[in-house]
């Protein structure tokens, strides 16, 4: 059973557009929600993360929006660039010892 | 600082063979973990360790063994490989395992079991 549901599976965005990836969870004990970026042939790398006591976190062009009541969180990539083309994973953790990942979103930014 | 290193990068096994995937980190991290990545499944935690001599099971531990005799190394053993274990395996480490510690992933080992 997938603890964290992620959508869409793939996304194509024009350069300069906004990319939006959504995740949902059921376990209300989750207390940390990171997003990872993975390029082909590489391991995932932490992009940005949020705790449920805030509704939004922004780092440069990347923003996490968090809706605790709906148990949903999303990644927004503003002014998307071809270099942002990668696979993005959301994740959730209860204690830090175990992370549960979404199924991934393959983002392609068209020049 | 090499970060998290994994060997080998690629491996082909026959069903029933055993092998060990190596993982090492030079950041003096207490927490280390192993994930497998399968298409459409994301990353799933196999085993993790919060320090030398301490290991625990993750989401999908069956068919895998781990041990942690040093802070630096966290090998993953497949005792009798099965085709279902064909996957890309990632090792990761973080300073202490608290949620806000950044997890650093290795480059992965692509394993095929025939």
């Amino acid at each position: 059973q997938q603890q964290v549901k992620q959508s869409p599976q793939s996304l194509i965005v024009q350069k300069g557009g906004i990319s939006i990836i959504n995740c949902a969870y059921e376990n209300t004990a989750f207390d940390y929600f990171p997003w990872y970026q993975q390029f082909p042939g590489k391991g995932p790398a932490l992009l940005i993360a949020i705790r449920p006591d805030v509704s939004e976190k922004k780092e440069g062009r990347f923003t996490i929006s968090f809706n605790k009541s709906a148990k949903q969180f999303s990644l927004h990539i503003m002014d998307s660039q071809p270099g942002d083309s990668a696979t993005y994973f959301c994740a959730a953790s209860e204690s830090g010892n175990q992370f549960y990942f979404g199924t991934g979103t393959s983002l392609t930014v068209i020049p | 600082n090499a970060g998290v290193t994994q060997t080998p990068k690629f491996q082909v096994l026959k069903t029933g063979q055993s092998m060990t995937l190596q993982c090492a980190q030079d950041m003096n991290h207490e927490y280390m973990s192993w994930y497998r990545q399968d298409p459409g499944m994301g990353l799933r935690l196999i085993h993790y360790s919060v320090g030398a001599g301490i290991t625990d099971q993750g989401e999908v531990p069956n068919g895998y063994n781990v041990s942690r005799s040093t802070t630096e190394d966290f090998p993953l053993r497949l005792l009798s490989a099965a085709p279902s274990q064909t996957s890309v395996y990632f090792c990761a480490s973080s300073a202490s395992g608290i949620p806000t510690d950044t997890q650093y992933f290795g480059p992965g080992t692509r394993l095929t079991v025939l």
Side-chain angles (χ1 to χ4, degrees):
Chain A
Q1 182 185 355
Q2 198 73 29
Q3 295 263 1
V4 180
K5 292 182 169 59
Q6 183 172 346
S7 63
Q9 186 175 356
S10 62
L11 183 61
I12 300 174
V13 172
Q14 294 275 359
K15 178 183 175 182
I18 302 173
S19 304
I20 302 174
I21 304 170
N22 301 300
C23 286
Y25 64 97
E26 287 298 324
N27 186 350
T28 55
F30 286 150
D31 59 4
Y32 187 65
F33 302 88
W35 283 89
Y36 287 84
Q37 180 187 56
Q38 184 180 29
F39 293 105
K42 304 291 186 184
L46 179 66
L47 188 63
I48 186 172
I50 197 168
R51 303 203 71 150
D53 51 351
V54 298
S55 60
E56 185 175 282
K57 183 173 182 180
K58 184 176 180 179
E59 289 184 3
R61 295 185 293 109
F62 301 91
T63 300
I64 300 178
S65 297
F66 189 86
N67 186 330
K68 189 174 182 178
S69 60
K71 290 182 283 186
Q72 295 175 347
F73 59 110
S74 60
L75 176 70
H76 292 67
I77 306 174
M78 313 300 287
D79 187 26
S80 299
Q81 299 296 313
D84 297 331
S85 297
T87 299
Y88 293 81
F89 293 96
C90 61
S93 172
E94 180 179 339
S95 66
N97 285 342
Q98 296 210 36
F99 283 83
Y100 296 91
F101 282 76
T103 51
T105 296
S106 177
L107 172 65
T108 302
V109 181
I110 300 171
Chain B
N1 231 0
V4 179
T5 57
Q6 292 182 238
T7 56
K9 283 190 71 69
F10 302 94
Q11 183 70 50
V12 179
L13 290 179
K14 294 181 180 177
T15 297
Q17 286 185 316
S18 63
M19 81 157 296
T20 300
L21 278 63
Q22 302 291 344
C23 174
Q25 52 88 14
D26 61 358
M27 298 174 282
N28 201 32
H29 284 173
E30 290 295 327
Y31 178 87
M32 296 184 74
S33 57
W34 277 102
Y35 290 87
R36 59 178 290 173
Q37 183 175 23
D38 302 291
M41 302 287 290
L43 287 92
R44 292 180 292 169
L45 182 66
I46 304 171
H47 286 285
Y48 65 95
S49 169
V50 297
I54 307 169
T55 64
D56 206 344
Q57 296 182 351
E59 203 179 347
V60 288
N62 292 341
Y64 307 95
N65 279 353
V66 292
S67 60
R68 183 100 178 266
S69 57
T70 68
T71 299
E72 294 78 20
D73 301 297
F74 190 44
L76 179 72
R77 280 181 285 276
L78 285 71
L79 298 179
S80 179
S84 61
Q85 293 178 304
T86 293
S87 187
V88 181
Y89 291 85
F90 288 100
C91 179
S93 74
S94 66
S96 65
I98 63 173
T100 51
D101 281 345
T102 298
Q103 270 204 105
Y104 296 92
F105 283 81
T109 293
R110 184 174 293 274
L111 175 68
T112 302
V113 183
L114 303 175

